[in-house]
Amino acid sequence: MDSPESLGIDTVLQHYAEEGQPFGAVVPPIYQSSLFSFEDIDDFAAALSESPPGPPFFYSRIGNPTVDIVERKIAKLEGAEACKLIGTGMGAITMAIFSVVKSGSHCVVVDTCYKPVRQLFETMLARLGVTATFVDGRCPETVFEAVRPETDLIYLESPSSILFRLQDIEAITAFARQRGIVTVIDNTYSTPLYQSPLAMGVDILVHSATKYLAGHSDVTAGAICTSAERVAGMLKEEVNFLGSAIGPFPAWLVLRGLRTLSLRLPRHESTANSVVGWLQDHPKVKGVNHTSLADFEQRELFLKQMKGSAGLFSFELKDGSEAAVRSFVRALRLFKLGVSWGGFESLVVPVLMHPLDWPEPRWVIRLYCGLESPDDLIRDLARGLEAVSNASA
Ligand SMILES: *Cc1c(COP(=O)(O)O)cnc(C)c1O
């Protein structure tokens, strides 16, 4: 095989970090073992004196051979020195944040970030003496102006949840680096295929691997990608103390999902673009929030820092009442009503949003286009919008 450094992304997805499996197995085995034993007390004592204990494996809360393959592959995809796979995306995000903050820290956070992350700052972190300022983020100055002498962390999610607003990653990381502020970004929406934040200066990148990376709605997982030094620190403290380890089998499912990532994403994207094109022209639709639109308000930034958009977007009905939203959702059959996304199945979820720049909360409908036939999805949405007219007639 060519040197691992020169491999194309599709080859990385199929083979990287998987050489040398026992018996020539083409699929790595699932090492369903919680611990790794030692022949000799001297070897055991030597392993225990390492930090983290190991090498290479000691106890599966810290590391496991099946998990390790997935970690090395995701690190390679993100251009990171190291990756740690965790049981959930929220576990990964919490560990990343805890590895940076201390009592008295101040954080600047994008206000439309994934809701449980916002709640983490507002509840647990606030109780521990960590304060946060929530900012719009679309204009980098909103981030810069919120920074204080005690700011230790800037938390980005670009595009952000539900409204899909972008932050100028390079402008913000350049500012943060000058001041010794650590930047964290959630790259779940884009995956390593469509956005490379570490190359743009971000310090710590997190994923909900539950979504596109695993891609089949059958597992929860999270990933942290950053420097080897930061991962080593997390293995000693956050990973060791907070737990939230991923099991070998869920990790193996992520590995299996990754094989088709570069096939799935463009398909989600072309379907979503057809659906969005149809929705935009519909008389009952007020506005569509999708990064790939030619008239997306941050089009230039999209072209600068992203390579694609895939299957997730949101829109508003002209009739913004809760009753209209309910009628629409109730009439759908293919789009299943549920949280999450990134799998094979199309999903809908209505969310009452109240970002900083809106005087009142408004209902936003998030759609996720799965791998079904685009015409069937459009027919389903037509049925939903038909029900809106019937309800308000
Ligand atoms: C789902 C999601 C998370 C949380 O991930 P879990 O795997 O559900 O814990 C974080 N960020 C974004 C953008 C998500 O969509």
Side-chain angles (χ1 to χ4, degrees):
M1 199 153 68
D2 296 338
S3 96
E5 275 58 51
S6 65
L7 294 177
I9 207 149
D10 297 288
T11 312
V12 170
L13 290 170
Q14 308 320 321
H15 297 298
Y16 186 80
E18 299 183 45
E19 338 39 60
Q21 297 307 322
F23 308 112
V26 294
V27 177
I30 303 168
Y31 286 93
Q32 194 71 32
S33 184
S34 62
L35 73 130
F36 302 88
S37 63
F38 292 77
E39 294 281 329
D40 186 87
I41 179 80
D42 287 343
D43 297 340
F44 178 79
L48 195 57
S49 71
E50 295 287 330
S51 175
F57 302 107
F58 191 82
Y59 189 53
S60 286
R61 187 172 79 235
I62 308 298
N64 171 283
T66 308
V67 177
D68 181 66
I69 290 170
V70 192
E71 289 169 346
R72 285 192 284 142
K73 196 183 289 273
I74 294 176
K76 174 74 177 166
L77 292 168
E78 286 291 6
E81 281 178 11
C83 166
K84 186 65 205 144
L85 208 62
I86 301 296
T88 65
M90 274 311 295
I93 291 168
T94 302
M95 288 181 192
I97 294 169
F98 271 73
S99 76
V100 177
V101 299
K102 56 188 183 300
S103 176
S105 287
H106 172 256
C107 308
V108 179
V109 183
V110 170
D111 85 306
T112 50
C113 70
Y114 184 66
K115 199 170 172 192
V117 175
R118 195 189 160 111
Q119 292 168 334
L120 169 68
F121 280 103
E122 289 172 334
T123 59
M124 276 184 72
L125 286 166
R127 285 203 297 275
L128 298 173
V130 175
T131 56
T133 305
F134 297 96
V135 299
D136 184 304
R138 279 174 295 181
C139 171
E141 280 70 29
T142 61
V143 175
F144 304 160
E145 283 159 13
V147 163
R148 303 180 196 161
E150 66 274 24
T151 303
D152 289 323
L153 181 145
I154 298 176
Y155 187 89
L156 307 174
E157 187 184 315
S158 183
S160 68
S161 282
I162 315 294
L163 295 179
F164 311 110
R165 296 171 167 182
L166 312 189
Q167 298 105 55
D168 187 331
I169 299 171
E170 278 180 338
I172 293 169
T173 58
F175 174 92
R177 293 224 150 169
Q178 280 179 352
R179 288 158 183 79
I181 301 169
V182 177
T183 47
V184 177
I185 193 166
D186 183 331
N187 205 32
T188 304
Y189 180 98
S190 298
T191 83
L193 268 55
Y194 283 171
Q195 182 167 270
S196 304
L198 296 176
M200 293 184 241
V202 167
D203 298 302
I204 308 176
L205 183 154
V206 289
H207 273 293
S208 170
T210 309
K211 314 293 166 56
Y212 286 133
L213 298 187
H216 292 73
S217 299
D218 52 10
V219 65
T220 64
I224 309 168
C225 297
T226 181
S227 66
E229 189 185 348
R230 283 189 193 280
V231 168
M234 290 182 206
L235 291 178
K236 264 192 252 176
E237 298 193 347
E238 288 77 21
V239 172
N240 195 19
F241 302 152
L242 296 176
S244 186
I246 189 163
F249 182 52
W252 186 92
L253 286 173
V254 176
L255 182 69
R256 181 194 170 112
L258 281 171
R259 302 220 189 277
T260 54
L261 179 65
S262 63
L263 299 175
R264 289 184 277 115
L265 277 193
R267 176 60 193 270
H268 290 296
E269 185 164 12
S270 71
T271 300
N273 288 346
S274 308
V275 168
V276 165
W278 180 85
L279 265 184
Q280 261 196 316
D281 294 336
H282 199 284
K284 287 179 202 155
V285 170
K286 186 165 116 192
V288 182
N289 307 305
H290 192 28
T291 53
S292 75
L293 287 171
D295 60 356
F296 177 56
E297 61 161 10
Q298 295 175 289
R299 176 76 177 168
E300 257 176 57
L301 187 57
F302 169 75
L303 293 173
K304 184 180 143 207
Q305 66 187 24
M306 292 171 70
K307 297 195 206 89
S309 59
L312 192 68
F313 60 90
S314 64
F315 75 100
E316 288 180 62
L317 292 169
K318 276 194 186 136
D319 177 349
S321 68
E322 185 175 343
V325 170
R326 282 169 163 266
S327 307
F328 171 77
V329 170
R330 216 171 249 145
L332 299 174
R333 286 183 216 148
L334 262 183
F335 281 88
K336 293 184 190 305
L337 174 60
V339 296
S340 198
W341 50 277
F344 57 93
E345 77 289 19
S346 291
L347 293 164
V348 59
V349 66
V351 186
L352 190 63
M353 287 296 286
H354 195 183
L356 290 167
D357 57 313
W358 291 1
E360 300 289 331
R362 302 201 311 241
W363 282 101
V364 177
I365 300 172
R366 188 184 73 183
L367 292 180
Y368 169 68
C369 292
L371 298 171
E372 301 92 340
S373 304
D375 289 349
D376 292 339
L377 296 179
I378 289 173
R379 255 199 306 280
D380 202 36
L381 295 175
R383 190 159 39 223
L385 290 167
E386 178 67 23
V388 172
S389 75
N390 297 344
S392 41

